[in-house]
Amino acid sequence: MTQFNYNSLFAERAPITTRGANRHATYDFAVAYPDPDTLPLTGLADALRVALEREGRDLAYYPVSAGYPPLRELVAEKLQRDRQMDVSPDDIILTSGSGEAINMLIQALTNPGDVLLTEEYVYLGTMRQMRLWGANVVGVKCDNEGIIPEALDETIRAQTAAGRRVKFLYTIPTFQNPLGWTMTLERRRRTLEVCASHGVPVMEDDCYVDLRFEGEDVTSMGSMDDSGQVLYVGSMSKIIAPGVRMGYMVAPERVRERALSFKSGGVNQFAALAINEYLRSEMYEHIDEENQALRVKRDAMLAALGEHFGNRATWSRPEGGLYVWLTMPQGTDLASFQEQSFREGVGYYNGTMFSPEGNGANMARLCFGHPTAETVSAGIAELANIFERNGIFSG
Ligand SMILES: Cc1ncc(COP(=O)(O)O)c(C=O)c1O
């Protein structure tokens, strides 16, 4: 039968997506998944049963648009306790993963042509959404302490002088994806100051904050602001699983209202019931267990890089999160080599994928969250073999 022709009907904004089924290499350091062995499946199943027996009949109603109130209460308590944020459940909207929160805020604030600032390498999903809504995404120079305030100031000035409107800075200050560092307290303060001086709000994406297995917590940018300059997003994907699709935003009322207009209905109440019930009894125990597993994997990756890459590359040493950032000498082309490496058995994402300007061909993100520690060690050894065989080490 002839297929109906949609070609002339698509919205100009609707991109042709190239997202096929996820492909996995034998050793897969490309994907950003957590540890499947520590998923709290039994705890979630028990929690779901308890919650359904107690209030399952409420699933007959449509959920309130900001999401299941008890879970918003729990998130507010957690943010007060762990991130020193003075928030109430009413300041929170639950979303389908933090990705939806980010997308709603982008839509509420962006006109085509507006500038959205990010760190010089940034989470792909956010960059994709920003571009979908017509933004000019501009990366700001960073070092190992985070965003460089002088570079931020200069970038905002240059964009403004060129007649463009800078709408917000998106930052992942804790266990940055993909760079792995955590922004220092002083840099957080300076970043807020510089942005405030130009009337620019800051979207703080704190989705990795609970995955700390070493070092001291640095307080949230949200806790350093009482003017509503910070829009905060968080996620259950890293402390439970991406498959539960639960995240949230904290924003001033006038922003929440605009953002909510881009959400169709409330968030999945079935998932919210289970998550709320589960986290109320086992959240910190579970996070500890997860972090112990991640630490072993991080250590395995660092040890294997030391053994097999030695002084032929440098790499980050994250205190939490899921990523190591590998830097090869200038001139090494990990971008062109990515597909070949995948075919030979090791997947990674090269730096250009995360850079708004397309920089970083000599860099790569290596995710240690999903494979076992043994697989991490074997995979890094294999990556070194592949580089050796293909002349990547010689530049
Ligand atoms: C920095 C960052 N923000 C947001 C997300 C989106 O996560 P989710 O929508 O599952 O909460 C991810 C996913 O990997 C991420 O790395």
Side-chain angles (χ1 to χ4, degrees):
M1 204 196 317
T2 342
Q3 291 298 299
F4 192 86
N5 186 353
Y6 283 90
N7 288 349
S8 63
L9 300 175
F10 288 118
E12 280 166 27
R13 245 180 198 166
I16 299 171
T17 64
T18 48
R19 275 185 257 178
N22 284 343
R23 304 181 311 156
H24 298 293
T26 312
Y27 298 105
D28 192 354
F29 300 130
V31 296
Y33 302 148
D35 182 351
D37 293 332
T38 53
L39 295 187
L41 302 181
T42 310
L44 281 173
D46 293 346
L48 179 62
R49 177 183 304 280
V50 170
L52 283 180
E53 279 169 4
R54 191 181 58 230
E55 52 194 297
R57 291 174 63 84
D58 288 352
L59 291 176
Y61 305 118
Y62 281 95
V64 295
S65 55
Y68 184 52
L71 184 53
R72 283 190 282 128
E73 272 161 37
L74 179 76
V75 169
E77 285 160 23
K78 182 175 188 317
L79 292 177
Q80 284 170 16
R81 190 172 45 232
D82 296 343
R83 305 308 287 140
Q84 297 77 49
M85 286 168 64
D86 183 17
V87 287
S88 87
D90 291 341
D91 301 323
I92 295 168
I93 299 176
L94 299 179
T95 53
S96 174
S98 58
E100 187 184 39
I102 295 167
N103 194 11
M104 287 159 64
L105 289 167
I106 294 171
Q107 289 183 69
L109 292 165
T110 314
N111 289 318
D114 285 341
V115 170
L116 302 182
L117 302 176
T118 68
E119 278 120 8
E120 60 182 327
Y121 296 94
V122 62
Y123 164 54
L124 276 173
T126 296
M127 185 157 57
R128 208 182 278 132
Q129 292 302 335
M130 288 174 162
R131 289 189 167 147
L132 186 60
W133 299 105
N136 279 315
V137 186
V138 176
V140 180
K141 199 104 194 90
C142 300
D143 60 18
N144 285 339
E145 297 190 351
I147 290 173
I148 301 172
E150 295 72 22
L152 176 61
D153 189 54
E154 231 166 77
T155 308
I156 299 176
R157 281 179 199 281
Q159 291 297 333
T160 311
R164 287 187 281 266
R165 186 78 199 274
V166 177
K167 281 297 180 66
F168 63 85
L169 166 72
Y170 168 82
T171 174
I172 309 161
T174 306
F175 312 133
Q176 208 269 0
N177 177 8
L179 296 167
W181 48 244
T182 292
M183 184 140 53
T184 62
L185 189 63
E186 177 58 12
R187 287 289 178 87
R188 289 175 194 232
R189 197 181 59 72
R190 290 280 294 125
T191 296
L192 285 174
E193 249 172 38
V194 170
C195 283
S197 74
H198 293 284
V200 172
V202 173
M203 192 194 299
E204 176 177 22
D205 181 347
D206 220 9
C207 76
Y208 292 103
V209 68
D210 293 296
L211 305 186
R212 176 176 285 285
F213 34 80
E214 197 177 282
E216 290 300 310
D217 238 9
V218 184
T219 196
S220 64
M221 295 170 90
S223 72
M224 303 160 87
D225 161 54
D226 51 20
S227 70
Q229 184 196 359
V230 175
L231 309 168
Y232 183 93
V233 302
S235 177
M236 302 295 175
S237 292
K238 315 301 168 186
I239 58 170
I240 300 185
V244 301
R245 304 313 301 133
M246 188 64 68
Y248 50 91
M249 74 167 75
V250 181
E253 187 179 5
R254 54 202 180 280
V255 180
R256 284 199 315 274
E257 276 172 1
R258 299 286 186 123
L260 255 186
S261 59
F262 294 101
K263 181 160 180 43
S264 59
V267 81
N268 183 338
Q269 181 109 342
F270 183 73
L273 284 170
I275 292 170
N276 173 62
E277 195 68 29
Y278 172 72
L279 290 181
R280 281 182 185 273
S281 60
E282 292 179 43
M283 173 160 53
Y284 292 107
E285 250 178 321
H286 170 62
I287 290 174
D288 278 353
E289 188 195 339
E290 195 182 357
N291 285 343
Q292 280 173 30
L294 283 176
R295 184 193 189 117
V296 172
K297 295 176 188 209
R298 190 256 344 231
D299 290 347
M301 183 169 275
L302 294 180
L305 284 167
E307 185 177 342
H308 302 287
F309 281 65
N311 57 10
R312 297 183 288 187
T314 57
W315 50 89
S316 63
R317 190 183 181 288
E319 294 184 331
L322 301 176
Y323 314 108
V324 166
W325 186 244
L326 179 75
T327 304
M328 301 285 291
Q330 276 295 341
T332 312
D333 189 356
L334 298 183
S336 311
F337 190 65
Q338 182 170 307
E339 185 58 28
Q340 177 68 21
S341 178
F342 179 88
R343 279 201 297 269
E344 293 194 26
V346 183
Y348 63 79
Y349 279 166
N350 79 86
T352 64
M353 298 173 70
F354 306 97
S355 161
E357 288 75 24
N359 298 326
N362 60 324
M363 300 171 183
R365 188 189 74 178
L366 303 172
C367 177
F368 52 79
H370 191 265
T372 63
E374 293 71 34
T375 310
V376 166
S377 307
I380 294 295
E382 188 53 23
L383 185 63
N385 282 337
I386 294 173
F387 280 6
E388 193 79 71
R389 270 204 301 277
N390 290 276
I392 296 294
F393 279 133
S394 46

